[in-house]
Structure formats: structure tokens, C-alpha cells
Amino acid sequence: MSSPVSTLLIVDDDAEIRSLLKRFFVQHGYRVAVAGDGEAIWAALRRHKPDLVILDLMLPGEGGLDLCRRMRNSCPTPTIMLTAMDQLSDRIVGLELGADDYVAKPFDARELLARVRAVLRRSAAAARDHGPRVTFCGWRVDQTRRELRSPDGVMVPLSNGEFDLLTVFIDNPQRVLTREQLLTLARGQGHEAFDRSIDVQVSRLCRKVERDSRNPTIIRTVRNGGYMLACPVERG
């Protein structure tokens, strides 16, 4: 039985880029919908129900960062940002808002294809039943539903990227993980070794699970090492 075809939504105000990317991804077996601005994206989301959104941050009217924030509040669709090479601050803000990955312009379409495949693989793997539920430091994780609940039973919303990162930590409890290892395990191959965006997502995750994020006891920073989930993990 063949696997279902994934649908991508490409949001870019440049008609030539939309056309080129649509043709490229269709040639690689995807269904592709396009939108040229923030107003059109909502109709496209409702109509096509994409599996992944490729979102240019430099859009007329409502910008990509505002769109990313609104999308995260209304739907869990994975998102890859397209950013200008010098827009480091926008990339960091985008990741904090819940985007799953980014690709800097100008980019090679093959790199974007690899990032799309990696995000879709992680999303599909997370949707499958991973078996027993997981607990750590009183927190409970349902990997099937991709839900995190506090020791008090309150559900804490996580972006796809944050949940993927948390999954890496609970799969490697009480083990120091370097930034490079976290990048590879959470996002797949293809990221530069000096990519510090993982620090942004670790910090964001810490703010959600730590009682005092300035003095973390659950996800600890190991000097000259990386990060570690400091408590044991129980399954079942």
C-alpha cells in the first residue's frame, strides 16, 4: 500500500518563487497549495488542510511573525520559515513563536526539500502510538496525543519543535547532550554546528516546565557540555 501524499502550503508574496517551489515539490510527489499574503493563508488552511506550511516572514500587510503566532494559537500544523540571511533576530523570534525550522534565503531547493522531509518524518513518527505514557519529575507526557501535563494535571501547550526537543530529553534521561546532538536528534541532519537556535527552544521549554527557570532543576545546563534532563523517566 502506498503512503499518503503530503500537502504543502507555500506562503510567499513573490509569484515567481511560489511558482518555482510549487513545480519543484509537485515533481517530488507532493500536493502543493499556495498563498501570496496573510489574508489568503487562512482560506488555504481551511480548504487544503496542509501537512506543513512553508512561510516567508517578509510578507506585505500582516507579517510572517504575526502569522506564525496566530497559526500556533489556532492549529498545530508544522511550519518552516523562510528568512533573509541577515534576519537572525527574526529567526530566533520565529522559533520562540513555535516554528519547527527555518531556511535562510537565498536557499537551495534541495535543502528545503530535505528540511520538509525531516519535519514531516518527525510529525508522522509523533502521530504513531509510541506505547506507554511517560512521566518525569511529576510531569506526564502522552506521546500519542503530543500532550504535556504538569504535576497538577494542567495541560501545557508545546509547539511541534518544543515537543520534539522534549522527546529527545526523555529518550536520553540524565545524559548530557551537546547542542549538536540535540539539533541532530530533534531536527535531523543538515544543520550547521554553530546553529544556536537550539538554545532558544531549550530556554522556551525550560520556562514551561521549571518552577523557576533562572534556577532550573529539571533541564540543566552543563557548562562546556550542553543540556541534561536531570531526573529519571518512568514509562507506563
Side-chain angles (χ1 to χ4, degrees), residues 159-187:
S159 71
N160 285 301
E162 290 163 0
F163 196 92
D164 291 338
L165 181 60
L166 177 60
T167 298
V168 173
F169 279 122
I170 62 180
D171 284 346
N172 299 275
Q174 298 175 297
R175 172 188 170 195
V176 178
L177 298 169
T178 66
R179 291 178 177 86
E180 291 76 16
Q181 287 173 319
L182 287 171
L183 276 167
T184 299
L185 292 171
R187 300 189 199 163

Side-chain angles (χ1 to χ4, degrees), residues 64 69 75 82 86 115 162:
R69 181 187 295 109
C75 65
L82 300 181
D86 60 351
R115 299 291 180 90
E162 290 163 0

Side-chain angles (χ1 to χ4, degrees), residues 28-49:
H28 283 83
Y30 294 90
R31 293 193 185 97
V32 180
V34 297
D37 54 38
E39 184 175 345
I41 189 174
W42 303 110
L45 285 169
R46 289 191 298 270
R47 180 177 179 183
H48 300 285
K49 296 179 174 55

Side-chain angles (χ1 to χ4, degrees), residues 192-210:
E192 298 166 338
F194 57 82
D195 186 338
R196 306 291 292 208
S197 63
I198 197 70
D199 296 309
V200 173
Q201 287 196 315
V202 171
S203 176
R204 186 176 171 86
L205 183 60
C206 282
R207 290 199 297 270
K208 294 185 176 182
V209 302
E210 297 285 357

Side-chain angles (χ1 to χ4, degrees), residues 209-224:
V209 302
E210 297 285 357
R211 201 175 288 271
D212 180 359
S213 60
R214 292 171 297 181
N215 297 289
T217 60
I218 297 176
I219 299 176
R220 293 181 178 173
T221 302
V222 179
R223 189 174 182 180
N224 298 323

Side-chain angles (χ1 to χ4, degrees), residues 17-78:
I17 290 178
R18 292 199 305 269
S19 177
L20 288 171
L21 287 180
K22 180 174 182 177
R23 185 163 60 249
F24 175 79
F25 280 107
V26 167
Q27 289 172 348
H28 283 83
Y30 294 90
R31 293 193 185 97
V32 180
V34 297
D37 54 38
E39 184 175 345
I41 189 174
W42 303 110
L45 285 169
R46 289 191 298 270
R47 180 177 179 183
H48 300 285
K49 296 179 174 55
D51 300 290
L52 183 144
V53 176
I54 299 172
L55 175 65
D56 181 19
L57 293 190
M58 297 297 290
L59 292 172
E62 186 176 14
L65 290 175
D66 290 331
L67 285 169
C68 190
R69 181 187 295 109
R70 288 181 60 193
M71 287 172 58
R72 270 293 160 259
N73 290 334
S74 63
C75 65
T77 308

